[in-house]
Amino acid sequence: MTTITKAALAGLATTFCVETASAEQIDVGLLLPFSGVYAALGNDIEAGFRLGLDTFGAETDATFEVIAEDTEVKPPVALAKARKLMLQDNVDVMVGIVSSGVLGAVRDMVDGAGVPLIVANAGNDEATGVDCSPYITRISFSNGQVNRPMGTWLAGQGVEKVYTLAPDYAAGRQMIGGFVETFEAAGGEIVGQEFTPFQQTQDFGPYLAQAKASGADAVYVFYAGGEAISFVKQYDSFGLKGELPLYGSGFLTSPLYVAAEGPAAEGVIAAGHYVPTIDNEANAAFVQAFEAENDRLPSEFAVHGYDAARALIEATATGAADRESLAQALREVSFGGPRGQLSIDPATNNIVQPIHVYETVAGEDGLTQKVLATLPAEADPANGCEMN
């Protein structure tokens, strides 16, 4: 039986409880942005997490009491909310974190308190690299991981010269760095590279002019959210798409906001860890259930929440119930999900997953994703991680 209750007033913690056959209650702190620039991402992750508990809850005897807090995408706010969840609410495990800055802010507190955290979005490489912790397990992606396979694949398509663009902050540099590393190793040449002021660039025209004059065969970028929408639209209106193909990290044409990009997104090829058109039984079931519950297709953010719930359930099914045993059990989870076969690398606590290359195309009901290739799963390098 599933019971869900939500506080009606904005700003209050929301709770929902999934009850199964018996036994150990696991208190879960859901730490996500429900307001601010990333609210849509937080809502999708919560919706996926709720659906995951409902879908897989019968596989464990544990029950889950969930307390949700709004980070507001502000590190000081998130730190205070994490402190409340750990010390006042005494949660057994936390799930969430969208912003890498927020993850960096709470990392030492989580590690010091020994409270397991399932990262359901933030991709900063350091979190499962030099700043890794046995209490932090990432079920989403790392910035380099999403882009490294694309460098090899694109070179294999005969693309020899690439111009890169990304916003000038840690994620932008890590995303592009992962691509450049493998593209150059495969014999490709980066003929130009620019990092645009993060959340300040309104006019991409000057950068597009440089790309056009660079002699590149293609452009590879990372942009997300509002910046992705603006960039894709301006790339098309600048007249580049027909003569200089656009490639990028999958967030460029995310299912969450590709409709806002409209026809400008058609023909753009990107690499990501999830799109709703991945062809496997687990994904078909997930898409059907998510759409029935939410009246929209799931995004990569929704699948993060869904798989985070499943990972937690699999950990508790082993008998893990306290903070220490949950942290250890989360490092050992492995299952086939909507993305494909997933596992956690115990050397870094980062997810290992396939990467899907897809093209945005026009479908009967609007824009959709045509999967062109599924690239093998590879574990991230340790990047300075020394797991204790």
Side-chain angles (χ1 to χ4, degrees), residues 26-325:
I26 307 297
D27 293 324
V28 184
L30 194 62
L31 197 58
L32 289 168
F34 297 112
S35 60
V37 67
Y38 289 148
L41 281 62
N43 289 333
D44 247 27
I45 293 170
E46 183 196 11
F49 186 74
R50 176 165 47 85
L51 178 61
L53 289 181
D54 197 38
T55 302
F56 302 107
E59 297 179 10
T60 177
D61 287 338
T63 65
F64 301 92
E65 180 73 28
V66 179
I67 306 168
E69 294 286 353
D70 183 4
T71 68
E72 303 175 26
V73 205
K74 298 174 182 176
V77 172
L79 196 59
K81 297 292 181 67
R83 183 179 291 112
K84 171 190 176 292
L85 288 170
M86 289 188 288
L87 302 181
Q88 181 178 322
D89 299 313
N90 199 33
V91 297
D92 300 298
V93 60
M94 294 196 301
V95 178
I97 313 289
V98 164
S99 161
S100 292
V102 166
L103 180 54
V106 304
R107 184 267 173 203
D108 288 350
M109 178 180 288
V110 167
D111 184 68
V115 178
L117 167 64
I118 304 173
V119 177
N121 191 72
N124 51 319
D125 291 342
E126 298 87 355
T128 47
V130 67
D131 293 332
C132 68
S133 163
Y135 299 103
I136 297 176
T137 302
R138 179 153 48 198
I139 201 71
S140 51
F141 64 93
S142 64
N143 293 332
Q145 177 187 70
V146 176
N147 296 273
R148 280 194 305 270
M150 192 59 162
T152 305
W153 183 85
L154 198 56
Q157 304 307 300
V159 176
E160 298 179 354
K161 298 179 180 181
V162 167
Y163 190 95
T164 71
L165 281 164
D168 191 8
Y169 74 119
R173 291 184 175 273
Q174 290 176 358
M175 295 270 185
I176 293 299
F179 168 78
V180 168
E181 175 190 341
T182 56
F183 184 67
E184 290 184 331
E189 178 185 357
I190 302 299
V191 296
Q193 185 172 95
E194 286 289 342
F195 292 96
T196 58
F198 181 41
Q199 293 185 339
Q200 299 175 34
T201 306
Q202 304 296 322
D203 179 12
F204 290 99
Y207 302 101
L208 298 179
Q210 292 175 30
K212 184 176 181 179
S214 69
D217 302 321
V219 173
Y220 187 88
V221 307
F222 161 71
Y223 287 104
E227 284 191 316
I229 296 168
S230 295
F231 182 86
V232 168
K233 285 186 170 182
Q234 289 182 40
Y235 198 91
D236 184 45
S237 64
F238 204 75
L240 278 183
K241 199 166 64 171
E243 57 182 283
L244 198 56
L246 178 58
Y247 298 86
S249 174
F251 304 100
L252 185 65
T253 49
S254 168
L256 188 61
Y257 45 76
V258 70
E261 296 170 344
E266 289 183 41
V268 176
I269 295 175
H273 53 295
Y274 178 74
V275 287
T277 52
I278 292 170
D279 185 15
N280 65 50
E281 290 184 9
N283 189 44
F286 169 58
V287 170
Q288 182 179 19
F290 188 90
E291 195 168 18
E293 288 281 334
N294 301 280
D295 198 29
R296 66 181 186 272
L297 288 172
S299 67
E300 62 271 38
F301 310 106
V303 88
H304 296 166
Y306 185 75
D307 286 341
R310 184 170 181 184
L312 178 57
I313 286 166
E314 294 228 348
T316 61
T318 68
D322 60 83
R323 291 173 171 179
E324 199 66 38
S325 62

